[in-house]
Amino acid sequence: DTAVSQTPKYLVTQMGNDKSIKCEQNLGHDTMYWYKQDSKKFLKIMFSYNNKELIINETVPNRFSPKSPDKAHLNLHINSLELGDSAVYFCASRPGWGSQETQYFGPGTRLLVL
Amino acid sequence: DAKTTQPNSMESNEEEPVHLPCNHSTISGTDYIHWYRQLPSQGPEYVIHGLTSNVNNRMASLAIAEDRKSSTLILHRATLRDAAVYYCILRDLIQGAQKLVFGQGTRLTINP
């Protein structure tokens, strides 16, 4: 049973294209996140949603638009892909609001923009 | 964002204890100290967290200095599967939402 799943696992695309990455968690958690890990392996938070409401937006370009159709899903749509968008994108979820519970991460989506 | 400082890399032998240090001199009174690790080609995985007292769980122990400006993650008996990048993080809250700010981490190598 996969707790946090992401699709696709690998994504290779051309510059200028629009693509989406999907994330689903079956843990019943209220809060979900998107992180980006670049080529230097730094892991940075991008967005956080709590019960489908955007809570954290870390100065990410407008080309990135998260969408949460329900609290079990947080998808990431990227418009006009650029070379610098190549990275590994991780989705994560956490049980509660303002609590100390841990975050559970997905396996990552490896995006390569050519 | 609160900052942590960790050595870039450490090396140890299998079945020996490993002590991974972390400095967080700017920690505030309400900051929890979290440790996550990332195995090769996987997402980060929670290890342990604490506030003031030392903490133990099945994976590791966390020793927190009395002034809370540093902490040490202890793996009591390292195995080859413990080879990973270990991140020490000060948990921040944004409008009640937990925010983890990852640093560079410590790459732990375990020798057979």
Side-chain angles (χ1 to χ4, degrees):
Chain A
D1 291 343
T2 304
V4 182
S5 60
Q6 295 179 227
T7 53
K9 189 173 181 179
Y10 298 96
L11 184 54
V12 181
T13 187
Q14 298 288 331
M15 213 165 45
N17 284 349
D18 303 338
K19 290 293 179 186
S20 291
I21 305 171
K22 295 185 177 181
C23 177
E24 176 181 4
Q25 53 95 3
N26 62 7
L27 299 167
H29 290 171
D30 290 332
T31 307
M32 296 185 71
Y33 303 81
W34 276 109
Y35 288 83
K36 177 182 179 181
Q37 188 167 39
D38 60 24
S39 57
K40 295 183 179 179
K41 302 299 184 183
F42 284 106
L43 198 66
K44 292 184 180 178
I45 188 169
M46 300 172 69
F47 302 102
S48 173
Y49 270 71
N50 187 75
N51 277 324
K52 303 196 301 175
E53 181 185 353
L54 179 65
I55 301 300
I56 297 174
N57 182 341
E58 286 289 295
T59 60
V60 177
N62 291 338
R63 298 183 295 104
F64 291 79
S65 53
K67 286 184 172 53
S68 183
D70 54 63
K71 73 174 193 176
H73 296 84
L74 182 61
N75 304 323
L76 184 65
H77 189 75
I78 314 170
N79 289 327
S80 303
L81 278 155
E82 300 177 358
L83 295 177
D85 297 332
S86 296
V88 183
Y89 292 84
F90 290 99
C91 177
S93 73
R94 189 174 70 86
W97 175 262
S99 61
Q100 296 305 316
E101 290 95 342
T102 67
Q103 291 189 22
Y104 296 80
F105 284 79
T109 294
R110 285 144 186 84
L111 172 65
L112 177 60
V113 182
L114 302 174
Chain B
D1 293 341
K3 303 287 186 196
T4 60
T5 305
Q6 302 175 250
N8 286 338
S9 61
M10 289 185 65
E11 200 169 324
S12 185
N13 297 320
E14 202 174 6
E15 298 190 4
E16 290 184 357
V18 180
H19 290 234
L20 297 164
C22 179
N23 287 321
H24 28 77
S25 58
T26 60
I27 192 170
S28 70
T30 56
D31 280 340
Y32 277 73
I33 303 158
H34 285 239
W35 283 81
Y36 280 73
R37 72 179 185 180
Q38 188 173 21
L39 279 65
S41 300
Q42 294 188 28
E45 172 189 34
Y46 168 81
V47 178
I48 200 166
H49 77 276
L51 182 62
T52 55
S53 305
N54 294 344
V55 184
N56 299 298
N57 66 21
R58 63 175 182 81
M59 288 181 71
S61 295
L62 177 59
I64 301 173
E66 198 169 332
D67 63 5
R68 302 210 326 124
K69 292 186 176 181
S70 65
S71 61
T72 302
L73 179 71
I74 303 165
L75 306 179
H76 295 287
R77 252 184 106 195
T79 69
L80 295 177
R81 290 182 300 173
D82 291 322
V85 178
Y86 285 78
Y87 296 98
C88 170
I89 300 160
L90 298 185
R91 188 271 303 143
D92 200 359
L93 283 180
I94 305 292
Q95 299 181 52
Q98 184 192 74
K99 178 181 173 183
L100 300 180
V101 179
F102 286 78
Q104 65 180 26
T106 296
R107 181 172 299 277
L108 176 63
T109 301
I110 304 296
N111 300 316

